[in-house]
C-alpha cells in the first residue's frame, strides 16, 4: 500500500536526503538548463531574470524526478504501478515505467489535455480516462490498487515523490547560487515543498524567498495557508490538468507552511499571456501550469523590490499550443 501520509513522517526533509535522491536518479533524468534573460525583454525593469527550464525534463515536466525515485526505491509488485494524474504525473510515471520495464496503469480525468493523453499512450501505459477532475481519477486509482495489488505512486503527497521534486532546488542552487527569490507554480504542493526543503536545510536557508503562484480558480495552497491546514479549494481554470488537485497535500503542507513565504494568485488570462510572451520572446513552449509562475511577474501580481534577484521555475511544457503543421 502507499506510504503517503503518516503522522510519524517528518515534516522537514533534510538536504542530505535530497542529495541521496539526486545521486540515485541522476542517471535517469536530465539536468535541465537555466537561462538568464534581461527583464526588459518582457517590459519589466527588474534586471536579470533566471529561468529554470524544467519543461525540458523527460516526459515534459519535473514530475519525472519523483516518478523515477519511487520506482528505484520501492518494491514493485508483479501487478506493477498505478498513478492518478491530471496528466504530467501520469506521463512521468508512464515514461519511467517504460524505461525500467515495469507495468503501469494511469488514471486521468477528462480535463486532461490531448497532448498529455497522447504522451501517456506513447509510453505504453494502460490509460483510463474518466471523471471530471483529478480527485475523480484518484478515487478510481485507489479502487484499482485494492483490486489488483498494484503499487500506487502519488502525484505529490508521498515522501519519495517529494524527495525527487526537491532535486530541482539542488540543481538550481548549483546553477544560480545568488538568487534572492524563487517563484514556483503550485498544484498539490510537491514541487514547491521539495524545493523549499532543499533551501531551508542549507547554510543559506532563509536567504532565499520561495513564493508560490496559483491560478485564482485553483488556490489550493492559498486556502490551506489561510485555514492553517489543507482544505478543499476551487479546482478549475485553464491549468486544471496540472494545478488543480482540490487540496494541497497533508505531507507537504507543514513544509510549505514553514518555509514558503506566501502565495500569489494569477488569472487565466494572465497565464495565457505569459504563455504567449514566453513563446514570442524566447521560443519557450510552456503549458498553462508551467507558465503560471512567470505570469506573476508579467501581470505585476508579484512586484519585486529593487535589486531583487528573481528566479522562476518553468515547470512543464506538455501542450499543443504550437502547431507545426502550418
Amino acid at each position: 500500500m502507499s506510504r503517503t501520509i503518516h503522522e510519524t513522517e517528518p515534516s522537514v526533509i533534510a538536504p542530505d536526503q535530497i542529495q541521496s535522491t539526486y545521486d540515485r536518479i541522476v542517471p535517469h533524468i536530465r539536468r535541465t538548463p537555466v537561462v538568464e534573460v534581461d527583464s526588459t525583454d518582457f517590459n519589466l525593469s527588474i534586471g536579470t531574470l533566471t529561468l529554470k527550464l524544467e519543461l525540458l525534463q523527460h516526459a515534459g515536466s519535473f514530475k519525472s524526478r519523483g516518478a523515477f525515485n519511487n520506482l528505484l526505491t520501492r518494491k514493485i509488485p508483479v501487478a506493477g504501478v498505478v498513478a492518478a494524474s491530471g496528466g504530467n504525473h501520469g506521463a512521468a510515471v508512464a515514461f519511467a515505467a517504460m524505461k525500467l520495464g515495469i507495468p503501469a496503469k494511469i488514471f486521468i480525468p477528462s480535463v486532461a489535455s490531448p497532448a498529455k493523453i497522447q504522451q501517456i499512450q506513447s509510453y505504453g501505459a494502460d490509460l483510463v480516462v474518466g471523471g471530471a477532475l483529478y480527485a475523480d481519477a484518484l478515487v478510481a486509482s485507489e479502487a484499482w490498487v485494492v483490486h489488483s495489488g498494484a503499487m500506487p505512486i502519488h502525484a505529490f503527497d508521498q515522501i519519495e515523490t517529494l524527495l525527487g521534486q526537491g532535486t530541482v532546488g539542488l540543481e538550481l542552487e548549483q546553477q544560480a547560487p545568488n538568487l534572492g527569490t524563487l517563484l514556483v507554480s503550485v498544484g498539490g504542493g510537491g514541487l514547491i515543498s521539495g524545493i523549499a526543503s532543499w533551501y531551508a536545510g542549507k547554510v543559506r536557508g532563509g536567504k532565499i524567498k520561495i513564493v508560490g503562484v496559483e491560478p485564482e480558480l485553483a488556490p489550493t495552497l492559498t486556502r490551506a495557508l489561510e485555514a492553517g491546514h489543507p482544505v478543499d479549494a476551487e479546482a478549475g481554470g485553464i491549468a486544471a490538468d496540472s494545478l488543480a488537485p482540490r487540496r494541497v497535500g497533508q505531507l507537504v503542507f507543514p513544509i510549505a507552511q514553514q518555509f514558503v513565504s506566501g502565495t500569489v494568485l494569477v488569472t487565466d488570462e494572465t497565464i495565457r499571456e505569459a504563455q504567449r510572451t514566453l513563446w514570442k520572446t524566447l521560443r519557450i513552449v510552456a503549458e498553462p501550469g508551467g507558465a503560471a509562475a512567470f505570469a506573476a511577474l508579467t501581470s505585476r501580481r508579484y512586484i519585486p523590490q529593487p535589486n531583487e534577484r528573481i528566479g522562476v521555475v518553468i515547470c512543464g511544457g506538455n501542450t499543443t499550443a504550437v502547431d507545426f503543421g502550418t
Side-chain angles (χ1 to χ4, degrees), residues 5 18 26 29 59 61 79 104-105 108 136 164 171-172 178 196 205 252 260 262 307 312-315:
I5 307 167
I18 297 174
V26 71
I29 63 169
S61 82
K105 192 177 187 76
I108 64 174
D136 302 312
E171 276 187 5
L172 182 56
N178 296 316
V252 303
V260 173
N307 301 316
V312 182
V313 180
I314 310 298
C315 60

Side-chain angles (χ1 to χ4, degrees), residues 164-179:
Q165 319 319 23
T167 63
V168 175
L170 180 155
E171 276 187 5
L172 182 56
E173 188 185 33
Q174 294 174 350
Q175 296 166 314
N178 296 316
L179 291 179

Side-chain angles (χ1 to χ4, degrees), residues 33-251:
V34 161
V35 60
E36 293 187 348
V37 295
D38 190 328
S39 67
T40 59
D41 290 344
F42 308 102
N43 296 317
L44 300 170
S45 55
I46 54 175
T48 300
L49 290 176
T50 299
L51 306 181
K52 173 66 167 168
L53 303 184
E54 193 62 16
L55 79 166
L56 299 181
Q57 189 55 259
H58 290 300
S61 82
F62 69 95
K63 296 282 191 177
S64 290
R65 297 171 183 265
F68 271 111
N69 193 42
N70 272 277
L71 296 183
L72 292 169
T73 57
R74 299 169 66 191
K75 185 176 181 180
I76 311 297
V78 174
V81 298
V82 60
S85 170
N88 283 340
H89 176 62
V93 171
F95 176 82
M98 177 187 69
K99 289 295 185 180
L100 298 177
I102 296 169
K105 192 177 187 76
I106 310 297
F107 291 83
I108 64 174
S110 58
V111 73
S113 71
K116 294 176 183 179
I117 291 173
Q118 182 180 18
Q119 192 172 23
I120 293 169
Q121 291 173 328
S122 74
Y123 297 144
D126 183 7
L127 177 64
V128 179
V129 181
L133 297 171
Y134 166 77
D136 302 312
L138 182 60
V139 170
S141 73
E142 290 169 343
W144 178 253
V145 170
V146 174
H147 174 76
S148 69
M151 186 187 81
I153 301 178
H154 199 280
F156 49 87
D157 218 17
Q158 187 159 320
I159 189 71
E160 292 87 354
T161 304
L162 185 56
L163 284 167
Q165 319 319 23
T167 63
V168 175
L170 180 155
E171 276 187 5
L172 182 56
E173 188 185 33
Q174 294 174 350
Q175 296 166 314
N178 296 316
L179 291 179
T181 298
L182 183 63
L183 303 179
V184 184
S185 300
V186 178
L191 177 61
I192 196 168
S193 292
I195 290 173
S197 293
W198 173 258
Y199 281 108
K202 301 295 288 182
V203 173
R204 66 191 298 270
K207 295 183 180 179
I208 183 169
K209 181 169 62 175
I210 309 293
V211 178
V213 182
E214 301 183 292
E216 286 186 343
L217 298 178
T220 53
L221 182 55
T222 299
R223 296 288 180 262
L225 292 173
E226 291 170 348
H229 57 88
V231 295
D232 283 352
E234 304 93 312
I238 61 171
D241 65 344
S242 58
L243 301 183
R246 190 170 293 283
R247 67 164 55 196
V248 72
Q250 292 280 356
L251 179 61

